[in-house]
Amino acid sequence: MSINSDSFKADPDEIRAGASDVLKCLNPVEDVDFGALNEAFDGSDQGEKILGEKFEAFCETWDVAFLVLGDRAIDMSDKLKSQADTYEDNEAHTDEYIKYINQHKNGSGL
């Protein structure tokens, strides 16, 4: 435990785990092929023109949405990991400074 006793009590490993959890949001649709789903729909009895066009638009929208969500999730995950590293580094430096001050405050004019 850090001697700086920060009131946030952030655990860098928990932050990194959260970064991994962010990416897990993509798992349910990771293997969904909306293009193939649309083609299968077109070949079915439900593939009438109006409904087929709406379903095609739906699939295209969610295909793009998945890509955007994926990019944002990866970006967020990378930023969380970076923040965990920064937090850990800052905490280590703070601990070093506190130890230094405690060692030199008596008799050294500090």
Side-chain angles (χ1 to χ4, degrees):
M1 178 161 183
S2 168
I3 64 169
N4 71 17
S5 67
D6 90 36
S7 60
F8 293 110
K9 294 181 178 56
D11 180 353
D13 290 332
E14 286 183 27
I15 295 171
R16 288 184 190 96
S20 296
D21 289 345
V22 166
L23 296 177
K24 289 178 186 175
C25 75
L26 302 172
N27 290 348
V29 292
E30 191 171 39
D31 296 326
V32 175
D33 184 350
F34 288 104
L37 186 61
N38 184 45
E39 288 174 19
F41 184 79
D42 280 343
S44 71
D45 292 338
Q46 295 92 2
E48 69 168 82
K49 180 114 175 108
I50 294 172
L51 189 57
E53 289 173 1
K54 290 183 179 187
F55 191 72
E56 180 178 5
F58 169 83
C59 288
E60 288 173 359
T61 299
W62 279 100
D63 210 12
V64 171
F66 174 72
L67 293 173
V68 170
L69 178 63
D71 286 346
R72 289 184 178 172
I74 290 168
D75 187 46
M76 183 185 300
S77 176
D78 289 345
K79 286 179 181 177
L80 281 170
K81 289 176 187 174
S82 175
Q83 290 301 316
D85 293 342
T86 300
Y87 184 88
E88 213 167 40
D89 291 344
N90 288 341
E91 186 175 39
H93 291 306
T94 301
D95 288 347
E96 290 173 21
Y97 294 141
I98 290 173
K99 286 178 188 175
Y100 177 83
I101 289 170
N102 287 337
Q103 289 173 351
H104 295 89
K105 70 180 174 183
N106 294 329
S108 66
L110 291 178

